[in-house]
Amino acid sequence: MRTRPLGSTSLVVTELGLGTWGLSGDAYGPVTETDRLRVLEQSLAVGIRLFETADCYGNGAMERLLGERVPAEGTVIITKIGTRLDAEPVRKDFSAAYLKEAFERSRERLKRETLDCVLLHNPSSVAVQRDEVAGVMNELRESGALRAWGASTGTPHAARAAISVGAQVLQIPYNLFHRKELEKLEPEVENRKIGLLARSVLAHGLLCGTWPATREFGVGDHRRERWTKDTLRRRLRQLVAMKPLVTEDVPSLRSVALRYVLANPLVSAAVLGPRTPFQLAQLVREAGKPPYLESDRVELLRQRLEEAGVET
Ligand SMILES: NC(=O)c1ccc[n+]([C@@H]2O[C@H](COP(=O)([O-])OP(=O)(O)OC[C@H]3O[C@@H](n4cnc5c(N)ncnc54)[C@H](OP(=O)(O)O)[C@@H]3O)[C@@H](O)[C@H]2O)c1
């Protein structure tokens, strides 16, 4: 498994990381305990050394699992804090007091004296710019309890705000149907040497091109609310833009999607979301090796996506 530096932090991460939202059962519906463990064990077996989670995934269960099963030596665990599951309704809390409490709980569950990297979990640009936020995260670093911090954000606005207050790592959605956010952030990411984690590289599975136009999602699957029937049909039609990129060495749309992300030198790692050992094996195999997609193929892909009206 190849590695890349996580921006200007002292951490080095494998290019493929295992995200645990899907495995928690919170995102796409239930996952059996057997599959959860097998995906984790198989990730370690194929050389994945980057694991991504959040204190709220499975109400702490995913952190606990990683703490128990992932060896401390040679691995990087990224967790996220700032969501209060104890509030009704669930809400965000990035106050200094809550961040400190949540940090200690994550540290206990992950069984690490020093946490590798903690991200603020979907903060708004206003929340991230409050003085106490950077203050508390920098304090944790200076005390030796934390190696790096950053934010997982959903908008360029929030990402830029996080960079402006000193975030060293950003996690953003980045995939063939969602490229513009990173394009807007490129100068800051490059100049500040931000460690960049790309998530949702398959657009929640859509980019694999294996769904029928009539695909329906079960209760408890976040995709049920994400797309209307018409939007999903339109999105599936747009996949035609990727098809000419499938060749002998890039064997599927899934492979095109994954390699597009890995071909971007600004990306430190692609955080994957397999829910079964079979999916994990496919992803690892089809990620291939450098050059993931040559620049002329990347350019062709960009043109075809523009013509297909993706991101308009
Ligand atoms: N705000 C945040 O911080 C945030 C938000 C989102 C995600 N994340 C992190 O990023 C990770 C990945 O995000 P994501 O779930 O959006 O990722 P994704 O990789 O775009 O989508 C995951 C889904 O893709 C499908 N899939 C995976 N491997 C496949 C394969 N080999 N063939 C066909 N389909 C496959 C599965 O769908 P089916 O279930 O239909 O099989 C799976 O549930 C999450 O686990 C989480 O840790 C963080």
Side-chain angles (χ1 to χ4, degrees), residues 18-33 35-37 39-40 52-54 56-58 62 65 80 121 199-200 204 220-223 271-276 279:
L18 178 70
T20 57
W21 185 40
L23 288 178
S24 73
D26 290 349
Y28 297 88
V31 177
T32 65
E33 188 61 17
D35 270 352
R36 195 164 19 246
L37 286 175
V39 170
L40 181 54
E52 190 267 6
T53 191
C56 57
Y57 293 173
M62 291 301 102
L65 179 70
K80 305 189 288 290
H121 199 174
R199 65 153 171 98
S200 308
H204 315 302
D221 187 328
H222 73 98
R223 295 171 295 190
V271 175
L272 307 175
R275 297 204 309 141
T276 64
Q279 288 183 339

Side-chain angles (χ1 to χ4, degrees), residues 2-179:
R2 276 163 287 276
T3 57
R4 301 186 190 187
L6 186 62
S8 63
T9 72
S10 58
L11 302 168
V12 170
V13 292
T14 47
E15 287 179 342
L16 300 180
L18 178 70
T20 57
W21 185 40
L23 288 178
S24 73
D26 290 349
Y28 297 88
V31 177
T32 65
E33 188 61 17
T34 311
D35 270 352
R36 195 164 19 246
L37 286 175
R38 282 172 62 208
V39 170
L40 181 54
E41 295 303 332
Q42 194 177 314
S43 300
L44 286 162
V46 299
I48 288 175
R49 294 292 178 269
L50 170 65
F51 299 88
E52 190 267 6
T53 191
D55 60 356
C56 57
Y57 293 173
N59 198 3
M62 291 301 102
E63 283 190 338
R64 227 171 275 119
L65 179 70
L66 296 180
E68 279 160 16
R69 300 277 176 150
V70 174
E73 193 68 23
T75 61
V76 171
I77 299 182
I78 310 240
T79 194
K80 305 189 288 290
I81 58 176
T83 307
R84 284 198 90 120
L85 293 184
D86 60 347
E88 184 57 48
V90 172
R91 67 180 168 87
K92 293 291 173 187
D93 188 346
F94 298 100
S95 64
Y98 185 72
L99 290 177
K100 282 183 198 167
E101 267 174 46
F103 179 87
E104 285 311 323
R105 278 194 295 267
S106 292
R107 184 146 82 149
E108 207 178 306
R109 285 190 289 248
L110 289 169
K111 297 188 197 299
R112 303 288 195 272
E113 201 49 44
T114 301
L115 292 190
D116 295 317
C117 178
V118 171
L119 306 180
L120 306 167
H121 199 174
N122 291 344
S124 66
S125 56
V126 174
V128 86
Q129 281 176 309
R130 280 171 34 203
D131 286 349
E132 62 192 287
V133 173
V136 76
M137 301 312 283
N138 287 331
E139 240 172 62
L140 288 167
R141 269 191 71 207
E142 283 152 20
S143 73
L146 176 64
R147 295 197 172 88
W149 72 274
S152 183
T153 57
T155 65
H157 203 47
R160 206 164 272 134
I163 295 175
S164 76
V165 297
Q168 303 161 280
V169 177
L170 272 186
Q171 176 168 258
I172 60 168
Y174 179 56
N175 62 54
L176 280 170
F177 280 8
H178 198 108
R179 299 165 294 133

Side-chain angles (χ1 to χ4, degrees), residues 294-307:
E294 293 84 357
S295 48
D296 55 337
R297 290 210 260 179
V298 169
E299 198 37 52
L300 171 69
L301 196 44
R302 283 195 182 131
Q303 272 170 25
R304 291 188 56 91
L305 291 167
E306 294 292 334
E307 282 160 20

